[in-house]
Amino acid sequence: GRSEAETEALWAARREASPSLSRLKPGKISEDVAVPRSNLPRLIEELERIGLRTGLVVTGYGHLGDGNVHVNILFDGPEQEMQVRRAVEEVFRLALSLGGTLSGEHGVGTAKAPFVGWELGPRELELMARIKKLCDPRGVLNPGKIFPPVGAG
């Protein structure tokens, strides 16, 4: 086993991962995906390739014991918006192609909502919308976050 000092040193390094990345470039987008642990090496290799293709820094760290990876896309400024969007889409497609999911820990919010259909089919999305309507018939809980507001469309 590790000593208490070794354990604390590892945790200190982990806590510094995000702040350290923030110092590399002015812009940083953080995503979280998860893949089967057996595909973690491939995910990390492909993140580097996505960075090379898009001209951005794309890296990952996280909860490797369960396959959850915090993917960080670092960029210089708003002029790189299209490259950032492309990188985000490539990261999501990569995770799914490796048998993973769009979100390992943080869930699907408004930013990932457009991509949920890549992972779930229309039947699953319809079922989720029906469950949401059953539990929230007036559409007052997180209105418009994933599904269109009641009365829309």
Side-chain angles (χ1 to χ4, degrees), residues 20 34 63 106 119 130 134 144:
S20 295
H63 313 258
H106 299 161
E119 184 169 349
R130 288 172 53 200
L134 179 67

Side-chain angles (χ1 to χ4, degrees), residues 93-106:
R93 288 189 193 282
L94 172 63
L96 295 174
S97 76
L98 295 175
T101 183
L102 297 176
S103 181
E105 177 183 19
H106 299 161

Side-chain angles (χ1 to χ4, degrees), residues 24-105:
L24 292 177
K25 296 276 187 176
K28 180 171 85 118
I29 298 281
S30 298
E31 293 293 350
D32 99 295
V33 298
V35 298
R37 288 180 302 192
S38 60
N39 283 332
L40 281 169
R42 176 94 188 273
L43 176 77
I44 299 302
E45 291 168 1
E46 292 298 325
L47 291 179
E48 182 178 8
R49 288 186 182 103
I50 291 170
L52 292 171
R53 280 194 303 274
T54 58
L56 305 171
V57 176
V58 181
T59 187
Y61 66 91
H63 313 258
L64 302 182
D66 64 6
N68 186 35
V69 178
H70 300 291
V71 176
N72 287 258
I73 300 167
L74 310 175
F75 56 98
D76 291 316
E79 69 279 0
Q80 291 182 306
E81 180 182 354
M82 292 306 294
Q83 290 140 282
V84 171
R85 282 187 189 180
R86 181 174 155 210
V88 167
E89 288 187 13
E90 286 194 39
V91 167
F92 292 160
R93 288 189 193 282
L94 172 63
L96 295 174
S97 76
L98 295 175
T101 183
L102 297 176
S103 181
E105 177 183 19

